[in-house]
Amino acid sequence: MTDFRERPGERVEGYDVTSRLGTDYYAVFADIPDADRAVWERAQAFVDEVGDRMLDAWDKAEYPLDIARRLGELDLLNDGIEHPDLTPFSPLAAGLVNMEVSRGDGSLGTVIAVQGGLALRTLALFGSPEQQARWLGPIARAEVPAAFALTEPDHGSDSVSLETTARRDPAAGSEPGGWVLDGAKKWIGNGASGGVTFVWARVDSPGDDDHGAVRCFLVEQDRPGYTGTVITGKASLRGIHQAHIALDGVRVPLDAVLPGAKSFKDASTVLYSTRSGVAWSALGHATACYEAALNYAQQRTQFGRPLAKFQMVQERLAQMLEELTGMQLYCRHLADLELSGGLRPTQASLAKYHNTRAARRIAATARDLLGGNGILIENRVMQHLADIEAIHTYEGTESIQALLIGRDITGMSAFV
């Protein structure tokens, strides 16, 4: 299974650690309906098509928008959103896409989370018929990059306290009135990619019925006063750009507001929906790491025998498989609950809480088992380990998920 690849000035022994092994010890995915399996296989083919380019993009911290558009061309961005103008995906199919794409590259998994899970879902749930007619198709096909701007430089976990404001802009002469947005957002995927941003802001118009309410606005990124700056120096999710957004007197028309988004609870509805996707994404990362460790253990020889023949290695693989199987069971039942209409937000929180924590442990064990080869990004484990750190944080940190779950099971809030 080993091969030798020539590099300038050296001859390097390599290992095939990225091959899929189809790990499913409890046959969790053995009975997938044919329609869902076809979507899963389409995601697998996509990962195979773009894998090498994304590895290079991750290494160089570049965001290849044409690959993001390819996700749209293959109709892989739906994320289980129900809308008559979108291809229907079951919760299971949406989860399998998240899992498989993240297994290949975490940055692309985040493209699905941002473009589909957050932005497209916001428009589908809360947009006007006119807004949807104009933007739903282009966003679903990834022809237009789309961002979801809630988090601010000083408000992450407490995003309910957002400071970005929207005030009424009265009509002036022959010019119709509108809104003026001021504030800042941070960690916004696609926020500097030349598309549109769904900006959540607090209405600051005394005397207005909406004064103090949180609303969402569709903002084209070429509007004067909108400045998106790519955040550099990231050690995680390096193949997608997140932005710091400055909103300096950005004027948008009255119909830029999404009529269905009227409170912070509406933003939370979107976040709750995407937490299931993060649980699936964590499963994809963990699967890649476990299978890399198993592949490597069977190929790497030390002290005259394969690593896989050592007791300590077998015990580590068994521990990783135990956690991975638990993650699979969480995800499959999560999809079943969602399909039945019985999924509660805190159940999605528990799945994210469990799966990102487990993925961190699996990735760390895999990195260690690969020894020095574990830090080479060509073996992907180090990349997955780094990317898991980001998904462990976004869509609600571990601590926030724990407090949401704790409030649900005790009936008492520990939030300050």
Side-chain angles (χ1 to χ4, degrees):
M1 294 289 290
T2 59
D3 66 345
F4 292 92
R5 287 163 289 177
E6 297 292 337
R7 292 180 182 172
E10 60 178 348
R11 191 165 180 259
V12 180
E13 185 179 0
Y15 298 88
D16 175 16
V17 302
T18 60
S19 293
R20 291 188 188 88
L21 299 179
T23 303
D24 189 4
Y25 207 72
Y26 267 26
V28 176
F29 303 127
D31 62 342
I32 291 175
D34 289 344
D36 294 343
R37 188 170 294 278
V39 176
W40 185 10
E41 290 173 352
R42 193 160 76 243
Q44 290 175 341
F46 165 75
V47 168
D48 292 341
E49 174 189 331
V50 305
D52 289 342
R53 278 194 62 201
M54 283 307 302
L55 183 63
D56 187 57
W58 195 94
D59 188 27
K60 296 176 180 176
E62 296 175 348
Y63 181 20
L65 284 171
D66 64 305
I67 294 181
R69 286 193 293 272
R70 183 69 175 140
L71 276 168
E73 291 171 3
L74 293 170
D75 202 10
L76 292 173
L77 290 170
N78 179 290
D79 201 45
I81 302 165
E82 295 184 8
H83 191 280
D85 294 331
L86 298 175
T87 302
F89 271 21
S90 73
L92 180 56
L96 291 167
V97 170
N98 264 300
M99 177 187 76
E100 190 60 41
V101 172
S102 297
R103 183 199 177 283
D105 184 90
S107 299
L108 291 176
T110 298
V111 171
I112 293 175
V114 171
Q115 184 84 13
L118 294 172
L120 186 63
R121 178 173 275 109
T122 297
L123 180 60
L125 289 178
F126 306 125
S128 68
E130 295 76 16
Q131 290 168 336
Q132 293 181 11
R134 181 178 178 186
W135 295 108
L136 200 72
I139 291 175
R141 294 187 296 271
E143 296 166 357
V144 174
F148 176 95
L150 176 64
T151 302
E152 298 182 348
D154 295 323
H155 299 287
S157 293
D158 71 334
S159 54
V160 67
S161 303
L162 81 171
E163 297 179 29
T164 298
T165 62
R167 59 181 172 82
R168 292 279 191 173
D169 183 19
S174 60
E175 294 295 322
W179 296 90
V180 179
L181 305 179
D182 288 283
K185 301 292 183 178
K186 192 174 182 182
W187 298 115
I188 309 305
N190 281 341
S193 299
V196 298
T197 302
F198 293 93
V199 176
W200 295 85
R202 193 175 302 281
V203 176
D204 182 20
S205 292
D208 194 298
D209 290 343
D210 282 340
H211 180 65
V214 173
R215 304 296 303 271
C216 184
F217 300 82
L218 196 161
V219 182
E220 296 169 70
Q221 293 178 11
D222 59 0
R223 287 267 170 185
Y226 181 106
T227 305
T229 303
V230 173
I231 296 171
T232 59
K234 291 191 306 171
S236 182
L237 299 179
R238 290 167 55 82
I240 179 176
H241 288 163
Q242 279 84 28
H244 184 292
I245 297 173
L247 302 161
D248 184 11
V250 179
R251 283 176 163 75
V252 295
L254 281 175
D255 60 5
V257 67
L258 276 64
K262 298 181 178 179
S263 71
F264 184 79
K265 288 183 178 180
D266 295 319
S268 297
T269 297
V270 178
L271 295 175
Y272 291 147
S273 297
T274 57
R275 280 174 188 156
S276 298
V278 178
W280 280 97
S281 187
L283 174 58
H285 286 288
T287 301
C289 291
Y290 166 75
E291 293 186 345
L294 180 55
N295 275 319
Y296 187 78
Q298 292 171 323
Q299 296 169 38
R300 173 74 167 176
T301 298
Q302 290 288 279
F303 303 104
R305 55 179 175 165
L307 289 183
K309 291 195 71 173
F310 288 89
Q311 291 180 356
M312 288 180 65
V313 172
Q314 290 194 7
E315 182 182 28
R316 283 179 161 189
L317 291 170
Q319 290 170 347
M320 295 164 74
L321 179 62
E322 171 208 2
E323 296 212 272
L324 184 70
T325 301
M327 294 172 71
Q328 291 174 329
L329 290 166
Y330 260 88
C331 283
R332 181 62 194 268
H333 194 58
L334 194 68
D336 292 343
L337 283 170
E338 189 171 352
L339 184 64
S340 71
L343 179 63
R344 295 185 291 113
T346 48
Q347 290 173 317
S349 290
L350 183 62
K352 180 190 187 291
Y353 181 82
H354 174 272
N355 279 16
T356 61
R357 285 158 56 95
R360 291 173 105 192
R361 293 190 292 268
I362 290 172
T365 301
R367 212 294 312 149
D368 187 66
L369 196 150
L370 264 69
N373 289 315
I375 68 170
L376 295 173
I377 63 169
E378 69 186 47
N379 291 326
R380 306 296 177 104
V381 172
M382 193 69 191
Q383 177 188 355
H384 285 292
L385 189 152
D387 287 349
I388 289 166
E389 288 303 298
I391 68 169
H392 184 65
T393 297
Y394 73 38
E395 311 300 345
T397 65
E398 174 183 325
S399 298
I400 290 298
Q401 305 305 330
L403 293 178
L404 291 170
I405 297 162
R407 182 175 63 186
D408 186 54
I409 60 179
T410 66
M412 293 179 280
S413 176
F415 287 96
V416 177

